[in-house]
mmCIF file of all heavy atoms in Angstrom:
data_model
loop_
_atom_site.group_PDB
_atom_site.id
_atom_site.type_symbol
_atom_site.label_atom_id
_atom_site.label_comp_id
_atom_site.label_asym_id
_atom_site.label_seq_id
_atom_site.Cartn_x
_atom_site.Cartn_y
_atom_site.Cartn_z
ATOM 1 N N ASP I 36 3.762 13.487 -11.046
ATOM 2 C CA ASP I 36 4.193 13.216 -12.454
ATOM 3 C C ASP I 36 4.936 11.882 -12.596
ATOM 4 O O ASP I 36 5.060 11.276 -13.650
ATOM 5 C CB ASP I 36 5.182 14.261 -13.026
ATOM 6 C CG ASP I 36 4.426 15.585 -13.257
ATOM 7 O OD1 ASP I 36 3.220 15.573 -13.402
ATOM 8 O OD2 ASP I 36 5.077 16.640 -13.377
ATOM 9 N N PHE I 43 2.681 -7.206 -6.828
ATOM 10 C CA PHE I 43 2.442 -7.638 -5.450
ATOM 11 C C PHE I 43 2.137 -9.150 -5.365
ATOM 12 O O PHE I 43 1.666 -9.714 -6.298
ATOM 13 C CB PHE I 43 1.161 -6.921 -4.934
ATOM 14 C CG PHE I 43 1.265 -5.451 -4.787
ATOM 15 C CD1 PHE I 43 0.805 -4.667 -5.832
ATOM 16 C CD2 PHE I 43 1.677 -4.889 -3.736
ATOM 17 C CE1 PHE I 43 0.935 -3.259 -5.827
ATOM 18 C CE2 PHE I 43 1.743 -3.507 -3.569
ATOM 19 C CZ PHE I 43 1.379 -2.684 -4.615
ATOM 20 N N GLY I 53 9.468 -3.725 -8.459
ATOM 21 C CA GLY I 53 8.981 -2.437 -8.664
ATOM 22 C C GLY I 53 9.864 -1.623 -9.633
ATOM 23 O O GLY I 53 11.093 -1.932 -9.811
ATOM 24 N N MET I 73 9.802 -6.862 -15.311
ATOM 25 C CA MET I 73 9.545 -7.386 -13.889
ATOM 26 C C MET I 73 8.941 -8.761 -13.845
ATOM 27 O O MET I 73 9.255 -9.566 -12.933
ATOM 28 C CB MET I 73 8.544 -6.393 -13.279
ATOM 29 C CG MET I 73 9.149 -5.063 -12.957
ATOM 30 S SD MET I 73 8.230 -4.034 -11.817
ATOM 31 C CE MET I 73 6.675 -3.778 -12.934
ATOM 32 N N ALA I 76 11.735 -11.099 -14.412
ATOM 33 C CA ALA I 76 12.566 -11.192 -13.229
ATOM 34 C C ALA I 76 11.954 -12.103 -12.143
ATOM 35 O O ALA I 76 12.740 -12.702 -11.347
ATOM 36 C CB ALA I 76 12.797 -9.782 -12.612
ATOM 37 N N LEU I 84 -1.073 -13.389 -13.703
ATOM 38 C CA LEU I 84 -1.530 -12.273 -12.896
ATOM 39 C C LEU I 84 -3.004 -12.458 -12.706
ATOM 40 O O LEU I 84 -3.711 -12.830 -13.673
ATOM 41 C CB LEU I 84 -1.173 -11.021 -13.717
ATOM 42 C CG LEU I 84 0.161 -10.584 -13.977
ATOM 43 C CD1 LEU I 84 0.398 -9.360 -14.851
ATOM 44 C CD2 LEU I 84 1.008 -10.421 -12.674
ATOM 45 N N ALA I 108 -6.270 -2.497 -20.992
ATOM 46 C CA ALA I 108 -5.953 -3.345 -22.021
ATOM 47 C C ALA I 108 -5.437 -4.770 -21.452
ATOM 48 O O ALA I 108 -5.733 -5.845 -21.910
ATOM 49 C CB ALA I 108 -4.853 -2.795 -22.943
ATOM 50 N N GLY I 114 -8.132 -11.369 -18.866
ATOM 51 C CA GLY I 114 -9.439 -11.760 -18.325
ATOM 52 C C GLY I 114 -9.406 -11.743 -16.776
ATOM 53 O O GLY I 114 -10.071 -12.528 -16.115
ATOM 54 N N LEU I 117 -9.966 -5.708 -12.724
ATOM 55 C CA LEU I 117 -9.358 -4.440 -12.801
ATOM 56 C C LEU I 117 -9.973 -3.543 -11.704
ATOM 57 O O LEU I 117 -11.140 -3.425 -11.626
ATOM 58 C CB LEU I 117 -9.593 -3.768 -14.144
ATOM 59 C CG LEU I 117 -9.216 -2.266 -14.320
ATOM 60 C CD1 LEU I 117 -7.610 -2.159 -14.291
ATOM 61 C CD2 LEU I 117 -9.715 -1.694 -15.775
ATOM 62 N N ASP I 121 -7.945 5.770 -5.917
ATOM 63 C CA ASP I 121 -7.612 7.186 -5.861
ATOM 64 C C ASP I 121 -6.282 7.465 -5.252
ATOM 65 O O ASP I 121 -5.965 6.882 -4.190
ATOM 66 C CB ASP I 121 -8.654 7.986 -5.119
ATOM 67 C CG ASP I 121 -10.058 7.975 -5.728
ATOM 68 O OD1 ASP I 121 -10.163 7.933 -6.996
ATOM 69 O OD2 ASP I 121 -11.130 7.909 -4.962
ATOM 70 N N THR I 122 -5.431 8.230 -5.870
ATOM 71 C CA THR I 122 -4.130 8.498 -5.344
ATOM 72 C C THR I 122 -4.239 9.180 -3.966
ATOM 73 O O THR I 122 -3.462 8.902 -3.094
ATOM 74 C CB THR I 122 -3.358 9.402 -6.312
ATOM 75 O OG1 THR I 122 -3.148 8.751 -7.536
ATOM 76 C CG2 THR I 122 -1.945 9.903 -5.718
ATOM 77 N N ALA I 124 -6.508 8.783 -1.780
ATOM 78 C CA ALA I 124 -6.843 7.769 -0.692
ATOM 79 C C ALA I 124 -5.548 7.015 -0.280
ATOM 80 O O ALA I 124 -5.398 6.693 0.954
ATOM 81 C CB ALA I 124 -7.831 6.785 -1.335
ATOM 82 N N THR I 130 -1.168 8.684 6.782
ATOM 83 C CA THR I 130 -1.320 9.714 7.793
ATOM 84 C C THR I 130 -1.032 9.030 9.159
ATOM 85 O O THR I 130 -1.541 7.874 9.372
ATOM 86 C CB THR I 130 -2.779 10.232 7.849
ATOM 87 O OG1 THR I 130 -3.066 10.792 6.468
ATOM 88 C CG2 THR I 130 -2.923 11.404 8.836
ATOM 89 N N GLN I 151 -9.002 17.232 -1.066
ATOM 90 C CA GLN I 151 -10.088 16.246 -0.593
ATOM 91 C C GLN I 151 -9.790 15.976 0.932
ATOM 92 O O GLN I 151 -8.609 15.824 1.372
ATOM 93 C CB GLN I 151 -9.904 14.899 -1.326
ATOM 94 C CG GLN I 151 -11.157 13.906 -1.133
ATOM 95 C CD GLN I 151 -11.109 12.832 -2.041
ATOM 96 O OE1 GLN I 151 -10.059 12.420 -2.603
ATOM 97 N NE2 GLN I 151 -12.334 12.215 -2.333
ATOM 98 N N CYS I 164 -15.621 14.237 1.321
ATOM 99 C CA CYS I 164 -16.027 15.185 0.282
ATOM 100 C C CYS I 164 -15.364 14.758 -1.000
ATOM 101 O O CYS I 164 -14.361 13.917 -0.930
ATOM 102 C CB CYS I 164 -15.586 16.632 0.622
ATOM 103 S SG CYS I 164 -13.924 16.927 0.412
ATOM 104 N N VAL I 171 -6.848 28.368 -4.053
ATOM 105 C CA VAL I 171 -6.169 28.268 -2.763
ATOM 106 C C VAL I 171 -6.777 29.200 -1.623
ATOM 107 O O VAL I 171 -7.031 28.782 -0.506
ATOM 108 C CB VAL I 171 -4.611 28.501 -2.819
ATOM 109 C CG1 VAL I 171 -3.918 28.435 -1.477
ATOM 110 C CG2 VAL I 171 -4.025 27.599 -3.869
ATOM 111 N N GLN I 193 3.040 25.740 1.705
ATOM 112 C CA GLN I 193 3.322 25.620 3.143
ATOM 113 C C GLN I 193 3.521 27.033 3.736
ATOM 114 O O GLN I 193 2.969 27.219 4.929
ATOM 115 C CB GLN I 193 4.563 24.857 3.428
ATOM 116 C CG GLN I 193 4.937 24.613 4.875
ATOM 117 C CD GLN I 193 5.926 23.486 5.094
ATOM 118 O OE1 GLN I 193 6.408 22.823 4.147
ATOM 119 N NE2 GLN I 193 6.502 23.409 6.350
ATOM 120 N N ARG I 201 -1.410 21.004 11.448
ATOM 121 C CA ARG I 201 -0.519 19.923 11.666
ATOM 122 C C ARG I 201 -0.176 19.310 10.230
ATOM 123 O O ARG I 201 -1.125 18.974 9.560
ATOM 124 C CB ARG I 201 -1.243 18.827 12.542
ATOM 125 C CG ARG I 201 -1.583 19.233 13.908
ATOM 126 C CD ARG I 201 -2.057 18.069 14.672
ATOM 127 N NE ARG I 201 -1.040 17.017 14.810
ATOM 128 C CZ ARG I 201 -1.254 15.801 15.351
ATOM 129 N NH1 ARG I 201 -2.513 15.439 15.643
ATOM 130 N NH2 ARG I 201 -0.249 14.906 15.484
ATOM 131 N N ALA I 204 4.399 14.403 7.884
ATOM 132 C CA ALA I 204 5.774 14.449 7.479
ATOM 133 C C ALA I 204 6.030 14.395 6.047
ATOM 134 O O ALA I 204 5.215 13.667 5.326
ATOM 135 C CB ALA I 204 6.524 13.187 8.179
ATOM 136 N N ALA I 206 8.015 12.907 4.074
ATOM 137 C CA ALA I 206 8.200 11.578 3.445
ATOM 138 C C ALA I 206 6.913 10.872 3.249
ATOM 139 O O ALA I 206 6.803 9.857 2.482
ATOM 140 C CB ALA I 206 9.100 10.696 4.413
ATOM 141 N N HIS I 217 -4.030 -0.501 0.492
ATOM 142 C CA HIS I 217 -4.848 -0.214 1.728
ATOM 143 C C HIS I 217 -5.861 0.905 1.432
ATOM 144 O O HIS I 217 -6.886 1.131 2.234
ATOM 145 C CB HIS I 217 -3.861 0.239 2.849
ATOM 146 C CG HIS I 217 -2.853 -0.730 3.137
ATOM 147 N ND1 HIS I 217 -3.113 -1.903 3.796
ATOM 148 C CD2 HIS I 217 -1.469 -0.769 2.969
ATOM 149 C CE1 HIS I 217 -2.065 -2.595 3.933
ATOM 150 N NE2 HIS I 217 -1.077 -1.978 3.474
ATOM 151 N N PHE I 232 -8.078 -13.530 -5.524
ATOM 152 C CA PHE I 232 -7.042 -12.558 -4.999
ATOM 153 C C PHE I 232 -6.256 -13.194 -3.896
ATOM 154 O O PHE I 232 -5.369 -12.502 -3.353
ATOM 155 C CB PHE I 232 -7.716 -11.278 -4.579
ATOM 156 C CG PHE I 232 -7.997 -10.341 -5.763
ATOM 157 C CD1 PHE I 232 -9.069 -10.600 -6.518
ATOM 158 C CD2 PHE I 232 -7.119 -9.359 -5.964
ATOM 159 C CE1 PHE I 232 -9.206 -9.707 -7.613
ATOM 160 C CE2 PHE I 232 -7.345 -8.499 -7.061
ATOM 161 C CZ PHE I 232 -8.388 -8.640 -7.834
ATOM 162 N N LEU I 239 0.441 -3.295 -10.443
ATOM 163 C CA LEU I 239 -0.180 -2.028 -10.410
ATOM 164 C C LEU I 239 0.495 -1.100 -11.597
ATOM 165 O O LEU I 239 1.706 -1.100 -11.620
ATOM 166 C CB LEU I 239 0.167 -1.389 -9.084
ATOM 167 C CG LEU I 239 -0.141 0.139 -8.934
ATOM 168 C CD1 LEU I 239 -1.687 0.408 -9.154
ATOM 169 C CD2 LEU I 239 0.338 0.602 -7.553
#
Side-chain angles (χ1 to χ4, degrees):
D36 289 338
F43 295 94
M73 289 192 298
L84 299 176
L117 173 64
D121 295 326
T122 299
T130 306
Q151 191 170 26
C164 70
V171 177
Q193 184 168 350
R201 296 184 65 189
H217 302 292
F232 275 79
L239 169 64

